[in-house]
Amino acid sequence: MIGPRRWPAHPAPIPGEALSSWLHRIAACYGIDLTLLGDDIGFTLGRSAADDIDMVPPSGMIDVLTERTGVTVDRMRQMSVDGGVPWLLDTLEPVPDCFETYARQLSVLRPPGTQNTRDVPRWRPWLLSPHLPTRACPECVAASPSPHPYLLLWAIPIVSSCPVHGCWLEDPLTARGYFGMWELEPPTSRPAPEHILTLDQRTHDAFTIGQVELPRRNVHAGIWFRLLRTIIDELSCPISGSRKVVTDLIRQVWAQAGYRTRDGQAFWYPYEQQPEPVQRHTMEAAATAVMLLENGSITGLGNDSDLFRPVPDSVISDGTPPPQPPTRAPFLPIGERLSLREAFTAAVEDARVNPAGARTLFNFAAYKHNDADQIHDVVNAFIELAIPLDFHRTTPNR
Ligand SMILES: [Zn+2]
């Protein structure tokens, strides 16, 4: 037993740290391990405790930790994958049609609706087994004291590099969070190419500030994660039966990335079920696709490819005055009423171009809906209606 209530001394969590990493470091302060720390706060932690905690902390654990450390519930929730609901993933529990909903509503490289419908039972974006990957940035680890903190993002195969140090993540070949081998023999970090670092910086931004800067506009984190997963799907799907313009485009991206088309895979598996090297190559191909879209080397055939289109350097006017935007009376004349359908259409049109209108509509749609499932339905509806979610900012401690 290390203390009845508030722990007198403990390290503060670092930005992006996984919950299990922080608990490891608190336990180390008292010279105990995670299991004993769990006993102290009334939770029996098994052998896979670190993965369980980083996926979904046991019910009630966060409240006890808040009491012991003073760190807020919101802050702590962001230290597990569960805190990514509903932006990173709609829900932690797999639901029917989740794959089509998440990975097929947007389109970048391929025309919309041209891939075979896939029913992937128990699919969740970015995650496969309860065991999270063990990768880490060798430079981040070398720069921190033992026990070295590790980031939640390293455990999700949605990034492959460290934008801070410009290097690939590496596998320490031990259980996640243990870096003994690296302390004995520090690995040589390998520089990652610029387009990978750019992609991963955006994903870091999505996690940390809730939005991502693209050439033509900022997009909400929820849109970014789905855009990225969409591009991965478009690169992974079979190309047989597709129009030549599509197959040429997909082949060009893979060739530019330096790999065979679809990394030579004969059968289709969702990204989450691909072997680790195939996942890595597919993410490289996705980063390559974004680079080629943004430098104008390729043109996407999907509805959302414009997001990656480069902004023209300058527009030279020929003297013609720009067209006036259509004017709309702010209020209807007295006595005129919109039908419900007309009112809804007007609200959606306004929300597409007006963040304040989008916020109002979101708040209205989400009124009294407090659980993640209901909120994610609203988010999906916004995505379907092409209403940007930019208005939604995460709070500083989330
Ligand atoms: Zn690093």
Side-chain angles (χ1 to χ4, degrees), residues 330-349:
F331 301 105
L332 286 171
I334 294 169
E336 274 194 43
R337 295 182 60 187
L338 290 175
S339 71
L340 197 56
R341 175 178 287 276
E342 287 169 333
F344 176 73
T345 305
V348 168
E349 280 175 2

Side-chain angles (χ1 to χ4, degrees), residues 194-236:
E194 201 57 40
H195 59 289
I196 292 284
L197 296 172
T198 301
L199 190 82
D200 286 349
Q201 180 63 59
R202 286 171 170 172
T203 303
H204 273 263
D205 289 346
F207 269 89
T208 52
I209 59 177
Q211 63 175 330
V212 171
E213 195 176 323
L214 295 181
R216 288 177 176 259
R217 51 171 278 206
N218 291 355
V219 296
H220 183 272
I223 298 288
W224 171 251
F225 298 136
R226 286 158 181 79
L227 275 173
L228 182 53
R229 189 61 187 77
T230 296
I231 295 171
I232 285 172
D233 179 54
E234 291 171 331
L235 290 167
S236 305

Side-chain angles (χ1 to χ4, degrees), residues 125-186:
W126 311 114
L127 304 169
L128 178 60
S129 73
H131 300 296
L132 300 170
T134 58
R135 307 164 312 156
C137 166
E139 301 278 347
C140 285
V141 171
S144 62
S146 180
H148 307 280
Y150 50 94
L151 305 188
L152 180 66
L153 203 44
W154 294 345
I156 307 172
I158 194 172
V159 293
S160 39
S161 69
C162 170
V164 175
H165 294 106
C167 58
W168 293 102
L169 300 182
E170 305 284 352
D171 189 342
L173 303 174
T174 48
R176 195 164 60 90
Y178 291 90
F179 301 105
M181 302 267 281
W182 282 6
E183 284 172 357
L184 288 172
E185 195 174 338

Side-chain angles (χ1 to χ4, degrees), residues 217-373:
R217 51 171 278 206
N218 291 355
V219 296
H220 183 272
I223 298 288
W224 171 251
F225 298 136
R226 286 158 181 79
L227 275 173
L228 182 53
R229 189 61 187 77
T230 296
I231 295 171
I232 285 172
D233 179 54
E234 291 171 331
L235 290 167
S236 305
C237 278
I239 53 174
S240 56
S242 299
R243 285 189 293 141
K244 184 172 181 304
V245 65
V246 177
T247 58
D248 285 352
L249 182 64
I250 302 299
R251 284 197 174 114
Q252 183 181 349
V253 172
W254 278 102
Q256 190 81 26
Y259 302 110
R260 289 194 293 161
T261 300
R262 302 178 60 238
D263 206 28
Q265 298 298 294
F267 298 101
W268 179 87
Y269 293 101
Y271 174 77
E272 293 74 16
Q273 294 174 23
Q274 291 174 350
E276 193 275 333
V278 179
Q279 268 188 352
R280 197 156 20 91
H281 297 167
T282 305
M283 190 60 89
E284 280 186 64
T288 303
V290 171
M291 176 185 69
L292 296 176
L293 287 166
E294 291 185 352
N295 68 20
S297 299
I298 60 171
T299 303
L301 304 168
N303 289 341
D304 303 288
S305 61
D306 269 3
L307 286 170
F308 298 99
R309 218 152 41 88
V311 179
D313 288 340
S314 60
V315 178
I316 300 170
S317 169
D318 62 359
T320 310
Q324 292 297 313
T327 52
R328 197 176 63 192
F331 301 105
L332 286 171
I334 294 169
E336 274 194 43
R337 295 182 60 187
L338 290 175
S339 71
L340 197 56
R341 175 178 287 276
E342 287 169 333
F344 176 73
T345 305
V348 168
E349 280 175 2
D350 180 57
R352 284 181 181 143
V353 295
N354 174 10
R359 174 179 290 281
T360 303
L361 188 63
F362 188 94
N363 290 344
F364 175 73
Y367 179 62
K368 288 197 172 176
H369 290 183
N370 295 321
D371 71 48
D373 281 351

